[in-house]
Amino acid sequence: MMAANIATSKSTSGTIGTTSSDGDFDPQTTNAGSYLFIQDHSSDVLNFDVPKTFSLVMNKKITTHIGGHISLPLPVVPSFHISYCSAPLSSAKVDENKTINALSTPEIPISPPLSLPVIGSWFIAATADTKTDFHIDYIHRLTKNWTTKLYGVTTMNLADTTDVVAEAQYDAPTYCVQLKAGTDNMVLGGNFLKKINNNWAAGAELFYTHTQASGGFSVGMRYRDASSPYGSHVNSTFNTMGDLTTCFSSFVVPDILSASTRYSFNVNNHNSDLAIGLKYTPRDLPVIFKGRYDFQTREWGLISCWRLVIQKIRLNVNVGVQRLVWSQKSPSFGVALQIGD
């Protein structure tokens, strides 16, 4: 369970120094990025968690380098988070592009800065909750290309094990390599993504689990239309479990409306799934709307995230609803409120 929390908490953090927004995409200067985020464009539309109850998140930039965070989800236990960055923090809150996912998953702490601007700069954060779970994240930009990361999860119960994950990432103009080792199941692995040209990139992931004496791999490719920051994105991955996943994302209206589809097929049991979604960002309103439908689970979900400033106080209000088609149960509804810098 703790290992799952480590993996989840990293999924919204982005890749240090490689993540860029659609509008800022420059094929000549943007590197390959991480293989783990090869499906980022479709995930941005399709992968969002709908809050099931009410949760309150409060962020505060205590000093230029220190940020604080308190999460009070109901009825889940609250969590407390504090972080320090050797480079000045622009804000104590999560990255705006990740706001929807972070708000609806209260146990995820504040994401570190997506770019540590100074060589030698570092970031450290600690999170604790009333269940006595304790998380610590450490990120250090050693050189222009090298970044190291260390994540740990433990409890105050000495009988429980402590899970630690160590990563090293190398970013080059045309490729990205990540090496990873974890104590949970004694996992050792790595991945890379190579930028073939401005449009195409290909990569793979390889891992070995000592506890289970087995390993696995996946391969993937990505195509993005480099002629425009609003071009189409296509990616496909295949792993040793026989899962073949293909995603397509495109702007229907530049900067306003984007659409995405994801088709998954298992070559062993022939199970398949199709998900479709839309993301709508009005030009004159501080809000993002997202909607999706999953044909396998027959579940639809809608979410909106409002970014407001009232009396110099920043508010992010996340409202969502989801329901299983043909279900007799009422739709689940939730609200997440984020206050602070």
Side-chain angles (χ1 to χ4, degrees):
M1 181 64 179
M2 288 189 292
N5 288 337
I6 294 179
T8 302
S9 64
K10 299 309 116 193
S11 65
T12 60
S13 298
T15 305
I16 302 296
T18 63
T19 304
S20 61
S21 63
D22 295 323
D24 296 331
F25 172 64
D26 182 353
Q28 302 298 330
T29 59
T30 304
N31 67 3
S34 169
Y35 177 81
L36 298 180
F37 300 97
I38 195 172
Q39 297 181 0
D40 251 12
H41 285 83
S42 61
S43 298
D44 180 50
V45 178
L46 298 172
N47 292 1
F48 59 86
D49 295 324
V50 176
K52 296 178 174 58
T53 58
F54 175 80
S55 64
L56 175 64
V57 178
M58 293 178 286
N59 297 318
K60 178 62 178 178
K61 189 169 71 171
I62 302 172
T63 70
T64 305
H65 300 271
I66 300 176
H69 167 97
I70 299 177
S71 176
L72 302 171
L74 298 174
V76 187
V77 295
S79 64
F80 310 91
H81 173 91
I82 190 167
S83 61
Y84 176 88
C85 185
S86 62
L89 289 168
S90 59
S91 174
K93 70 179 178 64
V94 296
D95 177 69
E96 287 187 359
N97 293 328
K98 312 294 182 181
T99 296
I100 288 181
N101 287 333
L103 276 175
S104 56
T105 313
E107 68 273 18
I108 296 179
I110 295 176
S111 300
L114 293 183
S115 178
L116 293 176
V118 181
I119 294 176
S121 58
W122 52 278
F123 174 93
I124 187 168
T127 304
D129 60 41
T130 53
K131 289 195 303 184
T132 68
D133 285 344
F134 183 76
H135 306 242
I136 188 165
D137 305 334
Y138 177 78
I139 302 174
H140 196 160
R141 186 181 182 191
L142 300 176
T143 68
K144 179 181 178 181
N145 303 103
W146 280 103
T147 302
T148 58
K149 309 174 188 180
L150 184 66
Y151 318 129
V153 179
T154 187
T155 68
M156 301 304 175
N157 188 347
L158 298 179
D160 293 337
T161 59
T162 298
D163 294 332
V164 179
V165 177
E167 293 184 10
Q169 177 174 312
Y170 183 83
D171 288 299
T174 59
Y175 65 91
C176 175
V177 177
Q178 288 180 310
L179 303 175
K180 178 178 180 179
T183 58
D184 184 49
N185 290 326
M186 301 300 292
V187 177
L188 180 65
N191 64 77
F192 76 92
L193 187 64
K194 169 68 175 177
K195 185 178 178 181
I196 301 172
N197 54 40
N198 288 338
N199 294 324
W200 289 93
E205 181 179 29
L206 181 68
F207 67 91
Y208 177 79
T209 303
H210 177 72
T211 304
Q212 300 176 355
S214 64
F217 72 91
S218 72
V219 293
M221 55 75 62
R222 181 189 67 206
Y223 171 85
R224 58 185 174 191
D225 184 0
S227 63
S228 168
Y230 310 112
S232 301
H233 294 251
V234 182
N235 60 75
S236 185
T237 59
F238 180 78
N239 61 30
T240 50
M241 302 297 292
D243 296 316
L244 175 64
T245 302
T246 301
C247 304
F248 173 80
S249 302
S250 181
F251 275 95
V252 180
V253 181
D255 260 347
I256 297 179
L257 182 63
S258 58
S260 182
T261 62
R262 179 174 58 219
Y263 179 73
S264 302
F265 179 77
N266 187 283
V267 298
N268 297 320
N269 56 30
H270 297 171
N271 288 337
S272 63
D273 183 26
L274 174 65
I276 58 176
L278 292 172
K279 176 183 177 181
Y280 175 55
T281 308
R283 291 188 186 276
D284 301 324
L285 291 175
V287 63
I288 299 174
F289 296 100
K290 293 185 180 183
R292 65 157 183 258
Y293 180 76
D294 191 301
F295 284 84
Q296 184 182 51
T297 61
R298 294 188 176 184
E299 181 181 68
W300 58 263
L302 298 172
I303 196 169
S304 64
C305 180
W306 296 80
R307 298 188 296 270
L308 308 172
V309 179
I310 301 176
Q311 296 294 322
K312 297 183 179 180
I313 299 176
R314 293 185 179 182
L315 300 176
N316 286 282
V317 183
N318 184 5
V319 181
V321 60
Q322 66 180 6
R323 183 179 182 178
L324 289 171
V325 178
W326 315 122
S327 174
Q328 299 299 320
K329 296 182 179 179
S330 300
S332 61
F333 177 82
V335 178
L337 174 64
Q338 176 178 291
I339 305 174
D341 300 326

